Every structure is written in structure tokens, then in C-alpha cells.
Amino acid sequence: MTLSIIVACTENYVIGANNSMPWHLPADLKHFKSLTTGHTIIMGRKTYESIGKPLPNRRNLVISRNSLFKADGVEIFSSLESAIENSREEDECFLIGGGELYKKAIVFADRIYLTRIHTNLEGDTFFPEINLDKWKLSSESFLAKDDKNSYDLNFQLYEKIS
């Protein structure tokens, strides 16, 4: 199984503010949907609550330390490791947030699909800096801002250096 991180972050590594994304970028949402549809996605409870429902056409796994947490249409795990172990039969599994899980998973992820948002914004949740001694940029495409997307974007794929 390939464990992939998928994330959008600003130049200053912001991924969230007040449990939501501080931007609306339809091009990034389309990119996210095209990559994750048909796959298993793993997320933290706060990320799940910010989305508000299971994402369609995906197996939704939610990590929560709260044993009383329940939600329809998702599978709940007490640790990232147990969710990953339960996904071993998948070809590719996507970790979609949040900040704490990204920090924990970056050491054993195989890929990072990063949407670099070319701006600096205020936030309270950050993506860890990518150590270029351990990760190689294998593809990249640029999308200029337009009437629907307020910022220039780079869609980047990093692969772990073995």
C-alpha cells in the first residue's frame, strides 16, 4: 500500500485557521477529488467535523482519541497506525489532515501531493516543512489565479527518496 499525504498550504505553511481552510480554491478541490475518489481517506476528527460529512465515493477513516465519538458513514480508529494497518489491502491511501496527523505521518508516507498556494495567510494549523534530503519533487504544474481561484497555485508531487 502506498500512503500518500494530500494537502494544500500557503508559502508560510498555513493549512487552516479556526478549523477551516482560509481560502476557497475550486481548482484545488477538483484536484483533491480527482486524486482521492475511489480510494481510502484518513483524517483526524477535527478535519472530519470541519467537512461535516463523509466524502462520497471514498472509504472514510477517522482518527479520534475520544472513544465516545460516533459518526455515520465513517470507520473510527483510535490511532493513525491502526487506520493504516486496516488499509493495507488498498493500492493507495490518502491522509487528508489535519496538522497533527500530517506531522506524525510524514515520516512513513510514500508520497506528498502538495498544492502550494502562492500567498502568506494567517492561520493556526501548519504543514511541516518538507525536508528535501528525504523528498524529491517528481512532478509539478502551475495554475494562474483567475476569477474563481484567488491565488496562483502549483500542484506538486513529492516522492520519498529511498
Side-chain angles (χ1 to χ4, degrees):
M1 187 258 298
T2 299
L3 179 62
S4 297
I5 287 173
I6 188 164
V7 63
C9 74
T10 62
E11 296 284 350
N12 58 331
Y13 293 91
V14 167
I15 62 171
N18 300 318
N19 208 29
S20 67
M21 291 184 291
W23 53 74
H24 177 69
L25 299 166
D28 180 55
L29 295 174
K30 182 179 177 185
H31 179 70
F32 174 89
K33 184 177 180 180
S34 73
L35 288 169
T36 62
T37 296
H39 293 281
T40 294
I41 56 174
I42 300 173
M43 69 196 95
R45 178 190 50 80
K46 289 180 188 175
T47 298
Y48 173 75
E49 288 175 344
S50 75
I51 296 168
K53 63 182 184 205
L55 292 176
N57 305 312
R58 284 157 270 214
R59 181 179 174 212
N60 290 252
L61 309 184
V62 176
I63 312 300
S64 178
R65 290 183 291 256
N66 178 353
S67 61
L68 301 176
F69 176 74
K70 303 279 184 256
D72 291 335
V74 303
E75 297 170 56
I76 300 165
F77 293 87
S78 60
S79 71
L80 176 60
E81 294 79 7
S82 61
I84 291 169
E85 187 57 39
N86 196 271
S87 305
R88 288 279 171 218
E89 302 300 313
E90 310 286 332
D91 59 335
E92 186 171 20
C93 185
F94 290 86
L95 179 68
I96 69 167
E100 286 183 45
L101 287 180
Y102 286 140
K103 286 178 200 149
K104 198 172 191 184
I106 201 164
V107 296
F108 45 83
D110 303 295
R111 292 184 186 139
I112 302 171
Y113 294 91
L114 179 90
T115 301
R116 176 69 70 190
I117 304 165
H118 293 288
T119 190
N120 288 303
L121 296 173
E122 294 293 317
D124 55 22
T125 309
F126 299 86
F127 190 71
E129 278 194 52
I130 296 171
N131 179 343
L132 296 178
D133 292 334
K134 297 183 179 176
W135 294 93
K136 174 185 75 150
L137 181 63
S138 62
S139 69
E140 182 171 34
S141 61
F142 176 77
L143 180 73
K145 67 180 176 180
D146 58 26
D147 57 336
K148 292 182 182 169
N149 297 280
S150 306
Y151 307 105
D152 290 341
L153 306 173
N154 273 74
F155 297 109
Q156 302 173 323
L157 172 58
Y158 288 89
E159 306 214 37
K160 184 171 269 176
I161 298 169
S162 6

PDB file of all heavy atoms in Angstrom, residues 19 41-51 61-65 69 77 80 95-102:
ATOM      1  N   ASN A  19     -10.279  25.845  12.471  1.00  0.00           N
ATOM      2  CA  ASN A  19     -10.834  24.581  11.992  1.00  0.00           C
ATOM      3  C   ASN A  19     -11.490  24.668  10.613  1.00  0.00           C
ATOM      4  O   ASN A  19     -12.460  23.978  10.319  1.00  0.00           O
ATOM      5  CB  ASN A  19     -11.801  23.968  13.007  1.00  0.00           C
ATOM      6  CG  ASN A  19     -11.844  22.447  12.892  1.00  0.00           C
ATOM      7  OD1 ASN A  19     -10.867  21.817  12.499  1.00  0.00           O
ATOM      8  ND2 ASN A  19     -12.982  21.866  13.214  1.00  0.00           N
ATOM      9  N   ILE A  41      -9.559   7.369   2.449  1.00  0.00           N
ATOM     10  CA  ILE A  41      -9.011   8.610   3.004  1.00  0.00           C
ATOM     11  C   ILE A  41      -8.995   8.492   4.524  1.00  0.00           C
ATOM     12  O   ILE A  41      -9.903   7.917   5.119  1.00  0.00           O
ATOM     13  CB  ILE A  41      -9.789   9.857   2.544  1.00  0.00           C
ATOM     14  CG1 ILE A  41     -11.283   9.751   2.883  1.00  0.00           C
ATOM     15  CG2 ILE A  41      -9.572  10.110   1.053  1.00  0.00           C
ATOM     16  CD1 ILE A  41     -12.092  11.007   2.576  1.00  0.00           C
ATOM     17  N   ILE A  42      -7.929   9.004   5.113  1.00  0.00           N
ATOM     18  CA  ILE A  42      -7.768   9.002   6.571  1.00  0.00           C
ATOM     19  C   ILE A  42      -7.705  10.446   7.017  1.00  0.00           C
ATOM     20  O   ILE A  42      -6.990  11.257   6.411  1.00  0.00           O
ATOM     21  CB  ILE A  42      -6.478   8.271   6.988  1.00  0.00           C
ATOM     22  CG1 ILE A  42      -6.496   6.811   6.528  1.00  0.00           C
ATOM     23  CG2 ILE A  42      -6.274   8.352   8.502  1.00  0.00           C
ATOM     24  CD1 ILE A  42      -5.181   6.068   6.754  1.00  0.00           C
ATOM     25  N   MET A  43      -8.444  10.760   8.083  1.00  0.00           N
ATOM     26  CA  MET A  43      -8.443  12.134   8.602  1.00  0.00           C
ATOM     27  C   MET A  43      -8.629  12.117  10.102  1.00  0.00           C
ATOM     28  O   MET A  43      -9.162  11.158  10.674  1.00  0.00           O
ATOM     29  CB  MET A  43      -9.552  12.951   7.944  1.00  0.00           C
ATOM     30  CG  MET A  43     -10.957  12.527   8.362  1.00  0.00           C
ATOM     31  SD  MET A  43     -12.269  13.134   7.303  1.00  0.00           S
ATOM     32  CE  MET A  43     -12.469  11.735   6.203  1.00  0.00           C
ATOM     33  N   GLY A  44      -8.226  13.210  10.728  1.00  0.00           N
ATOM     34  CA  GLY A  44      -8.486  13.396  12.140  1.00  0.00           C
ATOM     35  C   GLY A  44      -9.924  13.825  12.361  1.00  0.00           C
ATOM     36  O   GLY A  44     -10.620  14.257  11.433  1.00  0.00           O
ATOM     37  N   ARG A  45     -10.349  13.714  13.605  1.00  0.00           N
ATOM     38  CA  ARG A  45     -11.735  14.071  13.957  1.00  0.00           C
ATOM     39  C   ARG A  45     -12.055  15.518  13.624  1.00  0.00           C
ATOM     40  O   ARG A  45     -13.123  15.827  13.092  1.00  0.00           O
ATOM     41  CB  ARG A  45     -11.992  13.798  15.443  1.00  0.00           C
ATOM     42  CG  ARG A  45     -13.405  14.194  15.894  1.00  0.00           C
ATOM     43  CD  ARG A  45     -13.552  14.138  17.401  1.00  0.00           C
ATOM     44  NE  ARG A  45     -12.515  14.840  18.122  1.00  0.00           N
ATOM     45  CZ  ARG A  45     -12.485  16.177  18.309  1.00  0.00           C
ATOM     46  NH1 ARG A  45     -13.418  16.944  17.813  1.00  0.00           N
ATOM     47  NH2 ARG A  45     -11.507  16.727  19.013  1.00  0.00           N
ATOM     48  N   LYS A  46     -11.135  16.436  13.933  1.00  0.00           N
ATOM     49  CA  LYS A  46     -11.404  17.853  13.658  1.00  0.00           C
ATOM     50  C   LYS A  46     -11.560  18.108  12.162  1.00  0.00           C
ATOM     51  O   LYS A  46     -12.407  18.897  11.746  1.00  0.00           O
ATOM     52  CB  LYS A  46     -10.296  18.742  14.227  1.00  0.00           C
ATOM     53  CG  LYS A  46     -10.282  18.823  15.736  1.00  0.00           C
ATOM     54  CD  LYS A  46      -9.146  19.719  16.196  1.00  0.00           C
ATOM     55  CE  LYS A  46      -8.952  19.682  17.688  1.00  0.00           C
ATOM     56  NZ  LYS A  46      -7.775  20.468  18.081  1.00  0.00           N
ATOM     57  N   THR A  47     -10.746  17.436  11.364  1.00  0.00           N
ATOM     58  CA  THR A  47     -10.884  17.570   9.907  1.00  0.00           C
ATOM     59  C   THR A  47     -12.240  17.044   9.476  1.00  0.00           C
ATOM     60  O   THR A  47     -12.941  17.688   8.691  1.00  0.00           O
ATOM     61  CB  THR A  47      -9.742  16.822   9.183  1.00  0.00           C
ATOM     62  OG1 THR A  47      -8.499  17.415   9.567  1.00  0.00           O
ATOM     63  CG2 THR A  47      -9.905  16.876   7.675  1.00  0.00           C
ATOM     64  N   TYR A  48     -12.622  15.878   9.996  1.00  0.00           N
ATOM     65  CA  TYR A  48     -13.933  15.324   9.671  1.00  0.00           C
ATOM     66  C   TYR A  48     -15.045  16.320  10.057  1.00  0.00           C
ATOM     67  O   TYR A  48     -15.951  16.587   9.269  1.00  0.00           O
ATOM     68  CB  TYR A  48     -14.168  13.978  10.371  1.00  0.00           C
ATOM     69  CG  TYR A  48     -15.583  13.499  10.180  1.00  0.00           C
ATOM     70  CD1 TYR A  48     -15.986  12.966   8.962  1.00  0.00           C
ATOM     71  CD2 TYR A  48     -16.526  13.639  11.194  1.00  0.00           C
ATOM     72  CE1 TYR A  48     -17.301  12.577   8.762  1.00  0.00           C
ATOM     73  CE2 TYR A  48     -17.835  13.255  11.005  1.00  0.00           C
ATOM     74  CZ  TYR A  48     -18.225  12.721   9.788  1.00  0.00           C
ATOM     75  OH  TYR A  48     -19.531  12.356   9.592  1.00  0.00           O
ATOM     76  N   GLU A  49     -14.962  16.868  11.259  1.00  0.00           N
ATOM     77  CA  GLU A  49     -16.003  17.797  11.704  1.00  0.00           C
ATOM     78  C   GLU A  49     -16.030  19.062  10.859  1.00  0.00           C
ATOM     79  O   GLU A  49     -17.091  19.635  10.638  1.00  0.00           O
ATOM     80  CB  GLU A  49     -15.824  18.118  13.189  1.00  0.00           C
ATOM     81  CG  GLU A  49     -16.190  16.931  14.067  1.00  0.00           C
ATOM     82  CD  GLU A  49     -15.915  17.131  15.546  1.00  0.00           C
ATOM     83  OE1 GLU A  49     -15.160  18.065  15.918  1.00  0.00           O
ATOM     84  OE2 GLU A  49     -16.439  16.326  16.343  1.00  0.00           O
ATOM     85  N   SER A  50     -14.874  19.511  10.356  1.00  0.00           N
ATOM     86  CA  SER A  50     -14.866  20.707   9.503  1.00  0.00           C
ATOM     87  C   SER A  50     -15.509  20.412   8.143  1.00  0.00           C
ATOM     88  O   SER A  50     -16.128  21.274   7.548  1.00  0.00           O
ATOM     89  CB  SER A  50     -13.454  21.260   9.336  1.00  0.00           C
ATOM     90  OG  SER A  50     -12.697  20.468   8.462  1.00  0.00           O
ATOM     91  N   ILE A  51     -15.382  19.163   7.674  1.00  0.00           N
ATOM     92  CA  ILE A  51     -16.038  18.763   6.421  1.00  0.00           C
ATOM     93  C   ILE A  51     -17.533  18.547   6.670  1.00  0.00           C
ATOM     94  O   ILE A  51     -18.368  18.928   5.863  1.00  0.00           O
ATOM     95  CB  ILE A  51     -15.392  17.483   5.847  1.00  0.00           C
ATOM     96  CG1 ILE A  51     -13.938  17.756   5.462  1.00  0.00           C
ATOM     97  CG2 ILE A  51     -16.179  16.959   4.644  1.00  0.00           C
ATOM     98  CD1 ILE A  51     -13.131  16.507   5.162  1.00  0.00           C
ATOM     99  N   LEU A  61     -11.973   7.028   6.872  1.00  0.00           N
ATOM    100  CA  LEU A  61     -11.482   6.589   8.167  1.00  0.00           C
ATOM    101  C   LEU A  61     -11.177   7.827   9.006  1.00  0.00           C
ATOM    102  O   LEU A  61     -10.499   8.742   8.528  1.00  0.00           O
ATOM    103  CB  LEU A  61     -10.214   5.745   8.028  1.00  0.00           C
ATOM    104  CG  LEU A  61     -10.245   4.577   7.037  1.00  0.00           C
ATOM    105  CD1 LEU A  61      -8.939   3.783   7.103  1.00  0.00           C
ATOM    106  CD2 LEU A  61     -11.432   3.672   7.269  1.00  0.00           C
ATOM    107  N   VAL A  62     -11.676   7.837  10.225  1.00  0.00           N
ATOM    108  CA  VAL A  62     -11.492   8.983  11.111  1.00  0.00           C
ATOM    109  C   VAL A  62     -10.725   8.530  12.352  1.00  0.00           C
ATOM    110  O   VAL A  62     -11.057   7.511  12.958  1.00  0.00           O
ATOM    111  CB  VAL A  62     -12.851   9.606  11.526  1.00  0.00           C
ATOM    112  CG1 VAL A  62     -12.661  10.744  12.519  1.00  0.00           C
ATOM    113  CG2 VAL A  62     -13.609  10.095  10.293  1.00  0.00           C
ATOM    114  N   ILE A  63      -9.699   9.313  12.709  1.00  0.00           N
ATOM    115  CA  ILE A  63      -8.899   9.037  13.906  1.00  0.00           C
ATOM    116  C   ILE A  63      -9.423   9.916  15.035  1.00  0.00           C
ATOM    117  O   ILE A  63      -9.535  11.128  14.880  1.00  0.00           O
ATOM    118  CB  ILE A  63      -7.404   9.392  13.684  1.00  0.00           C
ATOM    119  CG1 ILE A  63      -6.864   8.829  12.377  1.00  0.00           C
ATOM    120  CG2 ILE A  63      -6.571   8.964  14.892  1.00  0.00           C
ATOM    121  CD1 ILE A  63      -6.920   7.363  12.235  1.00  0.00           C
ATOM    122  N   SER A  64      -9.744   9.281  16.162  1.00  0.00           N
ATOM    123  CA  SER A  64     -10.188  10.036  17.332  1.00  0.00           C
ATOM    124  C   SER A  64      -9.735   9.324  18.602  1.00  0.00           C
ATOM    125  O   SER A  64      -9.882   8.109  18.719  1.00  0.00           O
ATOM    126  CB  SER A  64     -11.707  10.185  17.344  1.00  0.00           C
ATOM    127  OG  SER A  64     -12.123  10.871  18.512  1.00  0.00           O
ATOM    128  N   ARG A  65      -9.207  10.098  19.523  1.00  0.00           N
ATOM    129  CA  ARG A  65      -8.850   9.535  20.835  1.00  0.00           C
ATOM    130  C   ARG A  65     -10.082   9.430  21.732  1.00  0.00           C
ATOM    131  O   ARG A  65     -10.042   8.781  22.771  1.00  0.00           O
ATOM    132  CB  ARG A  65      -7.784  10.414  21.507  1.00  0.00           C
ATOM    133  CG  ARG A  65      -6.428  10.340  20.819  1.00  0.00           C
ATOM    134  CD  ARG A  65      -5.390  11.166  21.539  1.00  0.00           C
ATOM    135  NE  ARG A  65      -5.644  12.589  21.420  1.00  0.00           N
ATOM    136  CZ  ARG A  65      -4.979  13.416  20.618  1.00  0.00           C
ATOM    137  NH1 ARG A  65      -3.990  12.971  19.902  1.00  0.00           N
ATOM    138  NH2 ARG A  65      -5.280  14.697  20.560  1.00  0.00           N
ATOM    139  N   PHE A  69     -16.788   9.106  20.431  1.00  0.00           N
ATOM    140  CA  PHE A  69     -17.069   9.742  19.134  1.00  0.00           C
ATOM    141  C   PHE A  69     -17.711   8.733  18.186  1.00  0.00           C
ATOM    142  O   PHE A  69     -17.223   7.627  18.007  1.00  0.00           O
ATOM    143  CB  PHE A  69     -15.783  10.309  18.516  1.00  0.00           C
ATOM    144  CG  PHE A  69     -15.999  10.883  17.150  1.00  0.00           C
ATOM    145  CD1 PHE A  69     -16.648  12.104  16.991  1.00  0.00           C
ATOM    146  CD2 PHE A  69     -15.557  10.211  16.015  1.00  0.00           C
ATOM    147  CE1 PHE A  69     -16.853  12.633  15.725  1.00  0.00           C
ATOM    148  CE2 PHE A  69     -15.756  10.733  14.753  1.00  0.00           C
ATOM    149  CZ  PHE A  69     -16.408  11.945  14.606  1.00  0.00           C
ATOM    150  N   PHE A  77     -11.081   4.985  14.232  1.00  0.00           N
ATOM    151  CA  PHE A  77      -9.897   4.309  14.773  1.00  0.00           C
ATOM    152  C   PHE A  77      -9.295   5.174  15.863  1.00  0.00           C
ATOM    153  O   PHE A  77      -9.394   6.394  15.814  1.00  0.00           O
ATOM    154  CB  PHE A  77      -8.861   4.051  13.662  1.00  0.00           C
ATOM    155  CG  PHE A  77      -9.338   3.056  12.649  1.00  0.00           C
ATOM    156  CD1 PHE A  77     -10.093   3.470  11.551  1.00  0.00           C
ATOM    157  CD2 PHE A  77      -9.074   1.709  12.797  1.00  0.00           C
ATOM    158  CE1 PHE A  77     -10.561   2.554  10.633  1.00  0.00           C
ATOM    159  CE2 PHE A  77      -9.533   0.783  11.875  1.00  0.00           C
ATOM    160  CZ  PHE A  77     -10.277   1.209  10.789  1.00  0.00           C
ATOM    161  N   LEU A  80      -3.562   6.521  14.243  1.00  0.00           N
ATOM    162  CA  LEU A  80      -3.190   6.544  12.833  1.00  0.00           C
ATOM    163  C   LEU A  80      -2.657   5.182  12.411  1.00  0.00           C
ATOM    164  O   LEU A  80      -3.009   4.666  11.344  1.00  0.00           O
ATOM    165  CB  LEU A  80      -2.138   7.638  12.592  1.00  0.00           C
ATOM    166  CG  LEU A  80      -1.579   7.739  11.180  1.00  0.00           C
ATOM    167  CD1 LEU A  80      -2.663   8.020  10.160  1.00  0.00           C
ATOM    168  CD2 LEU A  80      -0.496   8.818  11.134  1.00  0.00           C
ATOM    169  N   LEU A  95      -3.940  10.447   3.312  1.00  0.00           N
ATOM    170  CA  LEU A  95      -4.116  11.165   4.570  1.00  0.00           C
ATOM    171  C   LEU A  95      -4.483  12.594   4.206  1.00  0.00           C
ATOM    172  O   LEU A  95      -3.724  13.274   3.505  1.00  0.00           O
ATOM    173  CB  LEU A  95      -2.831  11.129   5.391  1.00  0.00           C
ATOM    174  CG  LEU A  95      -2.906  11.871   6.728  1.00  0.00           C
ATOM    175  CD1 LEU A  95      -3.854  11.151   7.676  1.00  0.00           C
ATOM    176  CD2 LEU A  95      -1.548  11.998   7.351  1.00  0.00           C
ATOM    177  N   ILE A  96      -5.662  13.058   4.672  1.00  0.00           N
ATOM    178  CA  ILE A  96      -6.166  14.360   4.232  1.00  0.00           C
ATOM    179  C   ILE A  96      -6.150  15.426   5.335  1.00  0.00           C
ATOM    180  O   ILE A  96      -6.652  16.524   5.120  1.00  0.00           O
ATOM    181  CB  ILE A  96      -7.572  14.235   3.602  1.00  0.00           C
ATOM    182  CG1 ILE A  96      -8.648  13.878   4.636  1.00  0.00           C
ATOM    183  CG2 ILE A  96      -7.566  13.205   2.474  1.00  0.00           C
ATOM    184  CD1 ILE A  96     -10.070  14.045   4.134  1.00  0.00           C
ATOM    185  N   GLY A  97      -5.579  15.139   6.486  1.00  0.00           N
ATOM    186  CA  GLY A  97      -5.485  16.142   7.542  1.00  0.00           C
ATOM    187  C   GLY A  97      -5.886  15.571   8.875  1.00  0.00           C
ATOM    188  O   GLY A  97      -6.361  14.449   8.951  1.00  0.00           O
ATOM    189  N   GLY A  98      -5.666  16.309   9.879  1.00  0.00           N
ATOM    190  CA  GLY A  98      -5.147  17.652   9.963  1.00  0.00           C
ATOM    191  C   GLY A  98      -3.685  17.724  10.357  1.00  0.00           C
ATOM    192  O   GLY A  98      -2.914  16.783  10.200  1.00  0.00           O
ATOM    193  N   GLY A  99      -3.358  18.863  10.925  1.00  0.00           N
ATOM    194  CA  GLY A  99      -1.984  19.196  11.208  1.00  0.00           C
ATOM    195  C   GLY A  99      -1.234  18.182  12.048  1.00  0.00           C
ATOM    196  O   GLY A  99      -0.094  17.832  11.745  1.00  0.00           O
ATOM    197  N   GLU A 100      -1.850  17.702  13.118  1.00  0.00           N
ATOM    198  CA  GLU A 100      -1.174  16.722  13.986  1.00  0.00           C
ATOM    199  C   GLU A 100      -0.890  15.422  13.247  1.00  0.00           C
ATOM    200  O   GLU A 100       0.191  14.839  13.378  1.00  0.00           O
ATOM    201  CB  GLU A 100      -2.029  16.413  15.229  1.00  0.00           C
ATOM    202  CG  GLU A 100      -2.038  17.522  16.258  1.00  0.00           C
ATOM    203  CD  GLU A 100      -2.849  17.118  17.487  1.00  0.00           C
ATOM    204  OE1 GLU A 100      -2.685  15.980  17.973  1.00  0.00           O
ATOM    205  OE2 GLU A 100      -3.636  17.958  17.952  1.00  0.00           O
ATOM    206  N   LEU A 101      -1.853  14.960  12.449  1.00  0.00           N
ATOM    207  CA  LEU A 101      -1.652  13.717  11.708  1.00  0.00           C
ATOM    208  C   LEU A 101      -0.594  13.880  10.621  1.00  0.00           C
ATOM    209  O   LEU A 101       0.181  12.959  10.363  1.00  0.00           O
ATOM    210  CB  LEU A 101      -2.967  13.228  11.100  1.00  0.00           C
ATOM    211  CG  LEU A 101      -3.968  12.646  12.089  1.00  0.00           C
ATOM    212  CD1 LEU A 101      -5.230  12.192  11.364  1.00  0.00           C
ATOM    213  CD2 LEU A 101      -3.366  11.488  12.869  1.00  0.00           C
ATOM    214  N   TYR A 102      -0.563  15.037   9.970  1.00  0.00           N
ATOM    215  CA  TYR A 102       0.482  15.267   8.964  1.00  0.00           C
ATOM    216  C   TYR A 102       1.868  15.157   9.600  1.00  0.00           C
ATOM    217  O   TYR A 102       2.756  14.512   9.048  1.00  0.00           O
ATOM    218  CB  TYR A 102       0.343  16.645   8.320  1.00  0.00           C
ATOM    219  CG  TYR A 102      -0.796  16.784   7.333  1.00  0.00           C
ATOM    220  CD1 TYR A 102      -1.556  17.947   7.304  1.00  0.00           C
ATOM    221  CD2 TYR A 102      -1.088  15.792   6.401  1.00  0.00           C
ATOM    222  CE1 TYR A 102      -2.584  18.111   6.378  1.00  0.00           C
ATOM    223  CE2 TYR A 102      -2.121  15.941   5.482  1.00  0.00           C
ATOM    224  CZ  TYR A 102      -2.862  17.113   5.473  1.00  0.00           C
ATOM    225  OH  TYR A 102      -3.868  17.275   4.563  1.00  0.00           O
TER     226      TYR A 102
END
